[in-house]
Amino acid sequence: MKIALDPWVLSSRFRNHGVYVYAHSLFQELARSAARHDVEFCLFTSRSNHNDAVQIAGERNFHHRPAPLLAHKHLWRVAGASMAARGAEADLLFAPSATVVPFGIPVICTIHDATPLWEPSSGTAVALAQRILLRSAAAASRAVIAVSQCSRRDLVDCLRVPESKIAVVYPGYDKASFNAQPPNSTGLQNLLSRLQISRPYILHHGVIQPRKNLRRLIEAYRLLISQTPGLDLELVLAGPLGWKFQEVLDAAKQPNAPGRVVLTGALPQHELALLVKGATLAIVPSLYEGFCMPLVESMACGTPTIASNTSCLPEVSGSTLLYFHPLSVDDMAACMKRAIEDSRVRDAIARRGQEFVLRYDWQHCADETVEVLKKAA
């Protein structure tokens, strides 16, 4: 069986987003295991994604194939990907996100969440296009992979996708970077000095955008500081600027406000892992997520982590953490206070979280994905 892989999200503009991490990590594992699965994979490349695609080194049964249409984003998503797959004589096309319209060849896609429907991450025109692509991919794909049971329910409830058409396959995470090994103390201190982080800190990492709920996080942090004399903690927001980031920047720079908020911008993987490992507390206050890689990464490092009680977050964390209502600044601040002040609670959530996330593994993800593809073919 020959499977074509759609590399659309391997473009450099997606590099700090979860869909890029998912596609790159999964394709790399598929490249390693292609011969073992007795499946031939074809990954398309073009000038726009050449470096990101060709670094996915394949063994036997994994090939790169030039696809000039990939440089034309609208044409590629509407018909180009399917035409390229047919030209490669593939049996089906696998798209790691809902960015392709099935056309003339069986397509299996991964739909990570229903963000375009509930919590858009872009302007009106782009969000409309994303909703159209999402509905088209969900309706016309032969099978759909969801990354959590929560996402699966959303696809059934919002898009009326038959339950029998959806398989849940959890992603993995980078265990070489995010793990229980203590951080290099010199490297961490140098990083903190460069980022001008001078005190112990609470950390959030991810794209700065409205559904991450960071304005309320800043309010909750300042409430915590004002209510707890002597608490000397900074709030660090690590990640690239996304859509509608200005309100977060304005809140962070509010004059005469208690505490200090540091925005680091996007960081390379090894520096981000150091920052996570050095945090006093990690927090995920999101309004909506499909899987939430930052949550898993923080837990994997043994960093005490707290999170919203919404969407997939309790599912992905195994209900092993402390949770708060994301719309309540008071509840968020109280949860942070408990995790910081009670060492037994902090140690327990760190230990339980680290043990739970070991089940997320890219090899398991690749194996289960191949089974879904074989069944669909």
Side-chain angles (χ1 to χ4, degrees), residues 16-224:
N16 293 302
H17 295 258
V19 289
Y20 178 97
V21 174
Y22 171 84
H24 194 276
S25 300
L26 177 55
F27 287 177
Q28 184 64 77
E29 195 57 49
L30 292 175
R32 295 190 189 104
S33 61
R36 175 165 56 84
H37 288 297
D38 195 26
V39 174
E40 182 179 354
F41 289 101
C42 170
L43 177 61
F44 299 114
T45 63
S46 76
R47 290 182 179 178
S48 61
N49 81 330
H50 183 75
N51 292 335
D52 299 88
V54 297
Q55 65 177 279
I56 299 175
E59 300 179 5
R60 183 165 57 90
N61 287 17
F62 191 94
H63 313 288
H64 296 91
R65 182 183 176 93
L69 288 178
L70 187 53
H72 306 278
K73 62 179 183 178
H74 299 302
L75 179 58
W76 178 261
R77 287 185 288 178
V78 172
S82 297
M83 291 172 60
R86 292 178 63 186
E89 298 182 337
D91 296 291
L92 57 86
L93 172 67
F94 172 55
S97 64
T99 55
V100 60
V101 178
F103 179 78
I105 190 171
V107 172
I108 291 83
C109 71
T110 298
I111 298 181
H112 297 261
D113 51 54
T115 294
L117 302 177
W118 286 9
E119 294 287 342
S121 299
S122 52
T124 303
V126 175
L128 176 60
Q130 289 175 340
R131 286 194 290 271
I132 293 171
L133 282 169
L134 179 64
R135 293 183 183 279
S136 174
S141 294
R142 181 171 289 185
V144 172
I145 293 174
V147 295
S148 66
Q149 294 292 345
C150 175
S151 288
R152 184 174 186 266
R153 288 193 299 271
D154 289 343
L155 296 179
V156 173
D157 295 343
C158 299
L159 299 177
R160 300 294 185 263
V161 181
E163 292 186 21
S164 59
K165 187 176 176 177
I166 309 171
V168 175
V169 179
Y170 292 106
Y173 66 94
D174 182 358
K175 295 182 179 180
S177 299
F178 300 94
N179 51 49
Q181 296 177 7
N184 178 280
S185 57
T186 301
L188 177 59
Q189 287 306 314
N190 290 340
L191 175 64
L192 297 180
S193 177
R194 196 185 86 227
L195 297 176
Q196 299 183 334
I197 300 170
S198 56
R199 298 176 179 84
Y201 56 94
I202 300 168
L203 176 69
H204 172 274
H205 68 285
V207 178
I208 309 298
Q209 57 179 311
R211 71 179 175 89
K212 300 296 183 178
N213 201 26
L214 300 180
R215 181 180 56 80
R216 288 191 183 90
L217 171 57
I218 294 172
E219 292 175 7
Y221 160 72
R222 288 184 169 144
L223 178 61
L224 171 69

